[in-house]
Amino acid sequence: MTDPAHRTHRSAAGSAGRLVILGVAASDSHAVANHLIAHGLRAHGFDVVNLGTCTPVQEFAAACREHPEAEAVLIGSMNGHAYEDLRELPAARASGAIACPVVLGGNLSVGSTKDASATERLLSLGVDRIVTDPSLLPAVLDELRAAGAGSAAPAPRQDGLGAA
């Protein structure tokens, strides 16, 4: 692709052969956390394809086609509209367009009161992990990678309960 947002940025430690696709959900233009997460992942040796903000599911799928070696798709959402923004994820997962694990984080529902139903709805769309603490991403990616080498992937769940 010619869009500079689709370029792979190599980790500070050089290419470790571990590539992730990162972006912010379709209706969300919050960029700061996206850049900080990309920087942190590169510092941990990951290569990051950063799609930036306002990224629809189709763009994540296109990046997966361009980078079939990607070990995960990481999606952030700060505006609380993750469920609406990811409504096309089940079709992308079913077709194989997004075959690697999908990890979601941020503010995942609108309103100050959060309940488990929002998390369950997101997991039912095909999100594999919900991570509320971005510092846990390298460990979650290590676990997902180890599970991929084993016989069965871990069950979808929420990790890192606490501050987002």
Side-chain angles (χ1 to χ4, degrees):
M1 295 183 162
T2 58
D3 183 352
H6 290 268
R7 282 184 273 163
T8 303
H9 295 276
R10 300 292 172 199
S11 67
S15 179
R18 298 189 70 185
L19 183 133
V20 295
I21 296 168
L22 173 67
V24 180
S27 70
D28 200 323
S29 62
H30 289 90
V32 174
N34 171 270
H35 290 289
L36 292 172
I37 290 167
H39 178 75
L41 288 170
R42 287 185 199 110
H44 277 91
F46 288 88
D47 293 332
V48 179
V49 175
N50 192 347
L51 304 178
T53 62
C54 301
T55 307
V57 170
Q58 300 91 337
E59 284 188 36
F60 285 108
C64 286
R65 283 190 299 277
E66 186 176 342
H67 301 281
E69 73 279 17
E71 63 182 76
V73 168
L74 312 175
I75 303 172
S77 176
M78 293 304 296
N79 68 3
H81 296 286
Y83 184 80
E84 293 82 6
D85 288 341
L86 298 178
R87 67 184 175 276
E88 295 176 15
L89 183 59
R93 300 295 308 259
S95 71
I98 299 178
C100 61
V102 174
V103 179
L104 178 65
N107 177 32
L108 305 179
S109 63
V110 177
S112 60
T113 304
K114 307 298 179 187
D115 64 44
S117 67
T119 298
E120 293 303 318
R121 286 177 21 158
L122 291 161
L123 295 173
S124 73
L125 284 177
V127 171
D128 295 290
R129 292 292 171 87
I130 295 175
V131 177
T132 58
D133 180 348
S135 71
L136 297 175
L137 277 172
V140 168
L141 291 167
D142 288 345
E143 182 184 332
L144 289 169
R145 186 178 199 192
S151 59
R157 71 172 199 242
Q158 182 171 352
D159 288 308
L161 297 174

